[in-house]
Amino acid sequence: MEIRPFCGWRYRTDNGDISDLVAPPYDVLDGRDKQELLDRSEFNVVAIDLPHAPAGELGPEAEYLAAAERLESWRRQGVLAAEDAPAIYGYEQSYTWAGKTYHRRAMLCGLRATPLGEDVIPHEHTFDGPKADRLRLTELTRMQLSPIFAFHDDPSDAAGKLWSACEGPPTARGRLGEVIEKLWVVTDSDVVAAVADALRDVPAYIADGHHRYTTGLNYRDRLAADGRLDDDHEANYIFFALVPRGDPGLLVLPTHRIYTGLEDGFSVELLASEAGMFDWRRYEATEQLREDPMALLAEAPEHSFVFADAAGLWTASLRDADAMSAAAADEPPAWRELDVAVFQQLIAE
């Protein structure tokens, strides 16, 4: 992948605390969530990033126009100011899960827009409604407001090169719920070049943000079609938060699926008889396990799943290590290692 620094627009505060100004990803918020954030500050980014809630479809034009006008007003007032020099950013989120504290570290940068499947590897399909919402907002604000969340292999220690330059107090910090957020600005051209070189032959795997990435491609293509795009235009690069695959803070929690409308006679026992590449084990549905079925995964091997039906609880652990290679030969190895991919390919389908 090809990354480059950019002059980010950041909140300017007296003490660097932006707790009242940050928000979760726009697509997990509804109208009530939006209002709660705005009650903390009228300058919370949700006022721009979520003009229409929920963001599953294109909203009224007036809402996008108002967001763009508000953004321009913030610029004029100095609420937001552009970086003095192109930068990449060290972004750390500290959180606690199951009594343990984790620190997830990402690099914020621009990544050259390429067709999905080349330097950027997807795992989801996209839908027209969310893409229309994001594209209209991008067209009117002319800004990429939130990054694509992706992970990557890091054989040349790009992360180490970045974080060696993130010494001292963070430039900005905040708290969102139980998560502590910190941001460092790195403008040293030698560091930026070293990080870019270390990632040049490494792809990025999208964890979250398929609609935003596709929107970035669509926006770039529209500018090109109108003759407004040269090779150095910012729209050639899409805003990413890149996390090394081996980062100890990159904790991936279980994905949950609920199935309804199944045929009469369906049972997990029947499913187990069909999915022979898994080792299956049945458990009595005690009250404790009904409340916390994920406890069954605590001692389970890699690529294990918990199933529940009216009869009880089951675990399924992948026994055949080559099953994914055979079932999804055209997919990249990193995708085939994802539990959600194993489940979708070998069980759900």
Side-chain angles (χ1 to χ4, degrees):
M1 57 182 158
E2 178 187 342
I3 71 162
R4 83 166 181 181
F6 64 98
C7 294
W9 287 83
R10 291 192 294 107
Y11 284 107
R12 294 302 192 254
T13 63
D14 292 336
N15 60 6
D17 188 344
I18 57 173
S19 297
D20 291 338
L21 305 173
V22 294
Y26 72 94
D27 55 355
V28 303
L29 302 174
D30 59 22
R32 179 182 299 177
D33 298 324
K34 177 179 178 178
Q35 188 57 55
E36 289 177 354
L37 290 164
L38 290 175
D39 288 344
R40 296 171 63 176
S41 172
E42 64 179 304
F43 298 115
N44 189 286
V45 68
V46 76
I48 310 297
D49 201 26
L50 187 61
H52 175 66
E57 60 184 5
L58 184 66
E61 178 75 359
E63 295 179 334
Y64 299 95
L65 287 169
E69 291 169 0
R70 189 174 297 114
L71 176 60
E72 185 57 34
S73 173
W74 291 3
R75 286 168 160 171
R76 290 195 305 267
Q77 296 176 56
V79 174
L80 297 173
E83 215 69 71
D84 294 332
I88 56 177
Y89 300 81
Y91 174 40
E92 181 183 85
Q93 295 173 292
S94 300
Y95 63 97
T96 300
W97 176 257
K100 181 179 178 181
T101 298
Y102 296 85
H103 306 281
R104 186 171 69 190
R105 288 180 154 187
M107 174 178 63
L108 301 181
C109 63
L111 192 155
R112 181 174 283 277
T114 58
L116 284 167
E118 294 184 4
D119 285 344
V120 178
I121 311 301
H123 71 268
E124 291 181 359
H125 298 292
T126 57
F127 301 94
D128 291 340
K131 287 186 289 189
D133 165 77
R134 290 298 97 181
L135 182 58
R136 192 61 186 135
L137 183 61
T138 305
E139 289 173 331
L140 291 175
T141 61
R142 294 179 293 115
M143 184 177 286
Q144 299 183 49
L145 293 163
S146 57
I148 285 79
F149 174 27
F151 64 91
H152 62 91
D153 292 318
D154 197 13
S156 300
D157 195 23
K161 295 174 173 63
L162 168 68
W163 287 96
S164 66
C166 297
E167 298 177 349
T171 308
R173 67 187 187 284
R175 188 181 189 96
L176 182 61
E178 298 303 315
V179 181
I180 297 172
E181 319 265 351
K182 296 178 181 178
L183 185 79
W184 287 263
V185 181
V186 178
T187 57
D188 187 315
S189 59
D190 290 337
V191 174
V192 173
V195 171
D197 287 344
L199 292 176
R200 195 166 303 281
D201 298 322
V202 177
Y205 299 90
I206 297 180
D208 185 62
H210 292 77
H211 290 96
R212 277 165 281 166
Y213 188 79
T214 308
T215 295
L217 295 178
N218 293 339
Y219 180 64
R220 179 204 61 184
D221 292 345
R222 285 199 177 188
L223 293 183
D226 293 341
R228 293 183 286 160
L229 191 77
D230 58 40
D231 192 58
D232 196 49
H233 197 288
E234 289 287 354
N236 289 304
Y237 295 81
I238 297 178
F239 186 22
F240 265 76
L242 297 173
V243 180
R245 187 179 179 187
D247 189 318
L250 187 61
L251 183 64
V252 182
L253 300 177
T255 298
H256 296 71
R257 293 287 185 266
I258 298 175
Y259 282 84
T260 60
L262 298 170
E263 294 180 0
D264 291 342
F266 176 86
S267 67
V268 177
E269 186 173 9
L270 178 62
L271 179 63
S273 69
E274 297 291 330
M277 69 285 293
F278 292 86
D279 288 323
W280 293 81
R281 182 179 176 184
R282 187 177 183 278
Y283 296 82
E284 292 298 323
T286 64
E287 182 177 350
Q288 181 179 358
L289 283 180
R290 282 293 189 188
E291 291 180 354
D292 184 21
M294 296 302 101
L296 293 174
L297 292 179
E299 303 299 329
E302 189 178 18
H303 303 318
S304 293
F305 307 89
V306 174
F307 293 83
D309 64 9
L313 294 166
W314 297 72
T315 57
S317 301
L318 184 62
R319 181 178 64 252
D320 183 356
D322 296 325
M324 281 296 284
S325 297
D330 294 336
E331 300 291 349
W335 182 88
R336 296 198 297 261
E337 285 294 311
L338 296 172
D339 281 343
V340 67
V342 173
F343 173 80
Q344 186 66 31
Q345 197 75 28
L346 300 181
I347 296 178
E349 293 187 4

